[in-house]
Amino acid sequence: MMDLRNGSTVTDFIIVGFEQSSPSTRALLFALFLVLYSLAMAMNGLIIFITWTDPRLNSPMYFFLGHLSFLDVCFITTTTPQMLIHLLIKNHTVSFASCMTQMYLVFSAGVAECILLAFMAYDRYVAICHPLSYAQIMSKQVCVRLVSTAWSFGLINGIFLEYMSIRNPFCRDNHIENYFCEAPIVIALTCGDPQFSMKVIFADAVVVLLSPMVLIVISYARILASILGRASSSGRGKTFSTCASHLTVVIFFYTSAMFSYMNPRSTHGPDKDKPFSLLYTVITPMCNPIIYSFRNKEMKGAMVRALGRTSLAQAESV
């Protein structure tokens, strides 16, 4: 609803999402996204359970993987269930408070994941390039501090970005041309000139997107340089494959987020925004477990042990 008398006050928003699609298309999209969401929740949930319960997975890498999976669960749950509901019902209205809460959660989880991915790349760099000093450099205390830094920065930065998004009253159209409350689209609905808020968010994105990405690229470049100098051809192939898969996920996540938060508003549009938003809010959380965990021999062994314990417990209960 809008009050158009003294500058308009928006009390709710309408998530356009896939409203323009035909019923058959929406049904197909519902089935597709339900499968993707279920897979992401199941795979990330399994990784969280295994990394937090299996004593053999006590290295920093698995500590970080457990937190990455938890972040992915938070990230995808913030947006996808609402999208699934809106694909089934005609009422796409969300309250102002719900929209702002969703924006904050997306900000917080997204920023925390950006920083955590950089710390994970640094962990791999230390493990491969400085193996003798690895235990000392990446001690348990250091890992806890790094993860705490990622979470704290995400939560605090989310408050700042939220303030910049709602510092001006809303007085324009309340239709959001996406499937969730994405900040650049919401800011465009505010009164006056939203350019200042967009410039601040752009500057913030340079810090939380470009800086971690630079650290990731440098870490993997040094890993590859180190491997080329001392590994066998088979070892090189395995390392190249691992680094390429990790970098692929990173590029998908960072470039799609950069398009959403660092591109001029004039270059945006519903047909462009939705694919990029889906890439970093749905596809990446589903791909992370496959790329980072399920190709790992130790993780596969832990899954077999976990499934074996489950089967044994079920057999004893019969």
Side-chain angles (χ1 to χ4, degrees), residues 69-80:
S69 291
F70 186 74
L71 269 173
D72 282 335
V73 167
C74 296
F75 207 10
I76 196 170
T77 302
T78 301
T79 58
T80 308

Side-chain angles (χ1 to χ4, degrees), residues 18 53 57 80 113 124 177 180 197 201 220 239 244 302:
F18 301 95
T53 59
L57 303 180
T80 308
E113 183 155 336
R124 291 297 82 209
E177 295 285 346
F180 73 101
S197 294
I201 288 182
Y220 279 111
T239 303

Side-chain angles (χ1 to χ4, degrees), residues 7 62 89 120 126-127 134 140 144 151 180 207 225 261 269 278 301 312:
Y62 299 110
I89 65 175
M120 290 174 67
V126 176
Y134 179 65
K140 185 68 174 180
V144 170
W151 277 101
F180 73 101
V207 175
Y261 293 94
L278 286 169
L312 180 61

